[in-house]
Amino acid sequence: EIMSMRVCVFLCILVISPVWGESTIDKQRITDWRLSSSANVKGDGAAVSSSGYDASSWYGVTVPCTIMACLIQAGVYSNLFQDAKLESVDSTQFNASWWYRAQFSSPQGFDLSNSVTIQFTGLNYRANVWVNGELIGAESQIMGAFRYFNFEISRRMNKTANGINVIAVEVFRPYDRVFDHDQDTDLAITFVDWAPNPPDYNMGLWREVNMIVAGALTLNTPLVATKLSSSMQADLTVSVNVTNNQNTTIHGALSGSIYTPDNKPLARFSQDVAVGPHQTVTVRFTSSAFSQLHISKPALWWPWQMGDPTLHTLDLQLFGSPQAKYQLSHSWNTSFGIRQMTSELDSRGNTLFSVNHNPILIRGAGWSPDLFLRPNMTKLKAEIAYVRDMNLNAIRLEGKMDPDELFDECDRLGILTMPGWCCCDAWQHWSAWGPEQMLVSGASMLDQANRLRIHASVLMFFISSDELPPQNVEQNYLTQLARAEWPNPTVSAASLRTSKITGSTGVKMSGPYSWVSPNYWLDPKAISNQLGGAYGFLTEGGPGENPLTLESFEATVSPANLWPVNSVWNYHCGAPEGNFGTLNRFTPPLYARYGNATSASGYLQRAQAATYEGHRAMFEAYSRNKYTSTGVIQWMLNSAWPSMLWHLYSYDLNPSSTYFATKRACEDVHIMYTYTDQSVWVVNSLYTDTEGLIATAEIVTKDGKALLNESWPIKTVSESTPFNVATLPSAATLKPKLGQDTVYFLRLRLWESQSS
């Protein structure tokens, strides 16, 4: 029944190919495409993939792009984030198959000793793949949004110099919905309750398509794993997958070099290889066999607050062909970090992560890509820079395996990443899984682990989110991670669960997801694994709603919908099917605390105050309880579109009050107030002791009358233990001095002493 609903759409590519020499190696992205619905296209896959097919009337687009992103590029839709305009898109047009069509020329000097591979790094969700009229991949096998698909096409290419070749890809949408759709089993991409569903379900070529030209042997997904001694001696293991694209066994050689950041050679190594026809083998260089990979006190990669995120370079050269053992066949150059990630359960049963044998308090937030998965490197760099500017050290990616550029930028800036699979959708509909889902989930795990393992910033992997997978599913994931020689910790769920295979997760997912008063985070009732207070590792939670600033709100909502709070406001909250599709939980305490609003401006100004104190208190509490609390992931960092909840800055990169609350709470050395017991603390986040400080406290009334002015010298604040400075008078103690007034202000400041 579902199959009968499918209609086709086609994309066309024009690629200018390079001229290949004997040892020329090239990798380029295929970016220029054309798009058309198959309802408007005549012919089958054989016809569409023929060189004479006319696609001149189709939309011109740049890939990667989902179908919706392509249509927006082509001008079919615009301003979809204004008001509730997104609802105007007819989603039934995507209950169809769509085609991608690529056209490129054969190079001069082409022969069958070359390998030409078309690589899809993100295809959502099923596809038929055709080359020059021949079906080379059927939808029964080509499925999975997070899998890599490689098609070696040299023997199917037009052998005529400058001859035309065509690739055509027919793509089918996923069936992967959340909430009341437990029978959906396509392991794709959803935004859960974060935002409305994209009308096209993010179908299409959402990540890059590459054309890789090499010799008979090719390299893929290298790894440099680090084992550090207590004295910071590093033993490195370099491994890489080598594939033979020919019909005969090929003998060759693999050589490698590691360079320091200033391009000085650190280690060189090589060994012979022999690969059978159409086989892939893993080639390893260990420090026990290659002593040059034992490095004495190298420059290590650190999260930015702990040290420099030093990146080294790995250069691999692969030689071998049917004619000559030492003919260059393929090369690979990549950055990596010498570092070791570990985790343990502390004495309280909470997961504590360490980098290079040093414990780290994780303070991060949840990442979201654009609703239509549109790549934007300028925006991405700004967002990762925001993470660092807010003094955070990590981002969590729940079921959003973003392109390599995100991980590259986190590698460079020293931001830890915590990827993992998604909650609530087909990834957790295990009761409906069959052999297909086991295959796709395992292959997705293997491909993503192979891709991510080289990145210095990857701290760990969540193999599930809200729930613990069934034992066979969990074991399948762990088996694929072992195949990939995964070098980092794994956690079997992002909630507190106990696995029969891996034991306790040591983390909690207890919320809250909506506004709470600042005293919540250190309230004894909330400091337990059952609630979200500052205890243990909170994988997601926070004060929830975060209405846009007036400037961003007026850019999103038309004047007629600005006031009062209405359905358009709510539409820009979470998904309407979830629990966070309105501001109903937020508005009553907002008005009770700050008074009723009579305009959008008044409401949003009050909201900025409420969200500032809520977010600052959360990060302060988790910092004060270091290492009783071992980590906190604010839910969330950013938004898929202009949203009224779950972000520290808005979709248009406008920092809200929560941005500055987070930045202040997580600053290097911070003085803070505890709402529950009136105590004053100094928190040191420098990962080295701080000496010679003076803390001061002033309490004044609304009219400026001084009620208290105290100072305290502080000799040392340990990097691991916050310092309890003093306890201030309670509100009851101050009441006689306040008279009828019930409001007073506290100013805490921290000074360097003149002798420090």
Side-chain angles (χ1 to χ4, degrees), residues 15 62 122 186 203 208 255 263 271 309 330 390 401 417 440 449 461 483 491 513 557 571 610 640 671 688 714 746:
V15 175
T62 300
D186 287 343
M203 68 179 295
E208 302 80 15
S255 67
N263 208 32
Q271 64 174 291
H330 199 194
M390 284 186 285
M401 305 299 168
T417 58
V440 172
F461 197 96
R483 287 182 61 193
V491 178
Y513 297 93
V557 176
Y571 189 68
I671 188 168
T688 184
I714 302 171
L746 168 65

Side-chain angles (χ1 to χ4, degrees), residues 5-12 33-41 45 48 58-59 61 65-72 74 76-77 89-101 120 123-130 139 167-175 199-205:
M5 297 172 65
R6 293 173 176 168
V7 183
C8 299
V9 172
F10 297 83
L11 298 173
C12 174
W33 306 74
R34 288 188 172 273
L35 171 69
S36 176
S37 169
S38 62
N40 303 320
V41 172
V48 173
W58 298 359
Y59 301 119
V61 297
C65 61
T66 64
I67 300 301
M68 274 301 301
C70 289
L71 295 176
I72 292 168
V76 177
Y77 298 106
V89 179
D90 179 11
S91 63
T92 63
Q93 64 184 298
F94 305 111
N95 294 334
S97 61
W98 297 65
W99 284 87
Y100 295 86
R101 186 177 187 276
F120 296 91
L123 187 158
N124 194 18
Y125 181 71
R126 304 173 192 270
N128 293 314
V129 182
W130 299 73
E139 62 169 302
I167 304 171
V169 185
E170 183 186 16
V171 179
F172 302 88
R173 63 156 280 192
Y175 286 81
D200 66 343
Y201 310 96
N202 286 137
M203 68 179 295
L205 296 183

Side-chain angles (χ1 to χ4, degrees), residues 309-342:
T310 302
L311 292 173
H312 290 73
T313 300
L314 172 68
D315 183 76
L316 297 173
Q317 302 284 324
L318 179 61
F319 302 87
S321 75
Q323 297 80 26
K325 179 177 180 180
Y326 296 110
Q327 177 177 311
L328 181 62
S329 183
H330 199 194
S331 63
W332 197 290
N333 184 277
T334 185
S335 62
F336 74 95
I338 299 177
R339 93 293 186 269
Q340 184 177 1
M341 308 296 192
T342 56

